[in-house]
Amino acid sequence: DDSLQSCAINLGAAAICSALTYRDWQAGQANLSRIAKGGALASLQVVPPASNKVTSIKEYRRNARVLIAAGGPEYLETLARSLNADQRPDENNLAQLLEQVEVMLVPVLLESGASRIGNTLEAWKGTTAKEGDRNFDITRSDLIAAFPSGNAQWYEYLESEIKTAQSQGFDVMEKGFTITVKKNGRILRRATGQPQWSGLIETMEVMDGS
C-alpha cells in the first residue's frame, strides 16, 4: 500500500512538473516573440521631412513617443487634413502640441485591400483641402511627422496587426488603426480609427509614465 501510494504521489508530482514546465515554455516562447517583435519595430526606417534623412525607429527611444497610424487613402487624407488645416474656429496648433508632448507621427498608407504599403509620402503631400479646411498647408506637420522607408519591412511588421484587426471585423482600409509606442520602445496601446488628438495630448505623459 505504501509503495502504491508513493508511486501515485510521484506520478502526480511528475504531472504537475510537466504542466509547470509547459507553462514556462509557453511563457518563454511568448517572451521571445515579444522581444523579436520589439526588435523588428526598432529596426524599421523612416524619413522625417524636417531632415530628409533615413533613420530608424530606435533613434527615437528616450526622446520621443512614436504614433503609427495606418489606413487606406481616405484615412490618410483625413489624418493629413486634421493636422494641416484649420477645421475649427481657432487656429490648428496640434502639430505644436504634439511636439511639446514629444510625439512623432508615422502615417502608413495601406493599398490593395491592406495587402501592401504604398508611397505614403507622395499620398500625404498630394492631399488637398476640402470644404471647411481653412489655411491648409501640408508642411505644418513636418516637425512631428516621419514617413516609412522600406515598405516591405513595414508591411512585414504590420501584417499581423492588420490580420488581427480584420479577423475582428474591422475595415483597416476605411477605419484604419494606430499603434502608440512608448519612449522605451514598448507598445503602449493599439486602437482603431483616427488618433484622438485631444485625449492623446492631455494624457500622454501619464499613460507613458516617462
Side-chain angles (χ1 to χ4, degrees):
D1 289 345
D2 289 343
S3 296
L4 290 174
Q5 185 177 8
S6 178
C7 286
I9 292 172
N10 289 338
L11 287 172
I16 292 172
C17 287
S18 296
L20 291 174
T21 300
Y22 180 65
R23 285 182 184 176
D24 289 343
W25 179 83
Q26 282 185 313
Q29 289 298 107
N31 193 44
L32 287 174
S33 178
R34 180 184 63 78
I35 292 171
K37 187 83 171 175
L41 172 62
S43 66
L44 293 175
Q45 295 186 322
V46 294
V47 179
S51 67
N52 202 33
K53 294 181 179 179
V54 176
T55 187
S56 62
I57 294 293
K58 67 181 177 183
E59 298 300 324
Y60 292 103
R61 285 187 178 176
R62 309 301 175 191
N63 297 316
R65 304 157 179 103
V66 175
L67 176 64
I68 301 169
E74 291 186 5
Y75 175 90
L76 196 77
E77 288 179 10
T78 300
L79 180 66
R81 292 189 294 105
S82 73
L83 289 169
N84 296 291
D86 297 334
Q87 297 179 327
R88 296 182 178 182
D90 54 348
E91 182 181 354
N92 186 341
N93 64 341
L94 285 173
Q96 293 93 324
L97 294 175
L98 288 169
E99 185 180 21
Q100 289 174 17
V101 295
E102 300 174 317
V103 171
M104 177 63 70
L105 170 69
V106 182
V108 180
L109 173 64
L110 303 179
E111 292 184 334
S112 302
S115 64
R116 69 178 187 183
I117 291 174
N119 190 326
T120 305
L121 178 58
E122 183 178 277
W124 184 270
K125 294 296 185 183
T127 301
T128 57
K130 290 189 176 181
E131 184 177 354
D133 292 337
R134 295 175 293 103
N135 304 317
F136 177 79
D137 179 0
I138 197 62
T139 66
R140 290 168 75 167
S141 60
D142 279 2
L143 287 177
I144 53 91
F147 298 90
S149 176
N151 288 347
Q153 290 75 21
W154 271 93
Y155 187 78
E156 184 178 354
Y157 176 79
L158 291 174
E159 185 177 15
S160 62
E161 306 284 350
I162 292 169
K163 292 188 181 304
T164 297
Q166 289 175 328
S167 70
Q168 296 174 357
F170 293 108
D171 185 341
V172 295
M173 292 294 288
E174 180 182 350
K175 301 294 185 182
F177 63 92
T178 62
I179 301 173
T180 307
V181 184
K182 299 172 69 173
K183 284 185 177 182
N184 61 13
R186 294 187 176 184
I187 303 298
L188 174 62
R189 67 177 180 182
R190 297 170 173 86
T192 57
Q194 291 282 340
Q196 302 301 304
W197 296 125
S198 296
L200 186 147
I201 290 167
E202 292 171 1
T203 60
M204 182 54 70
E205 293 288 349
V206 175
M207 289 192 301
D208 191 342
S210 299

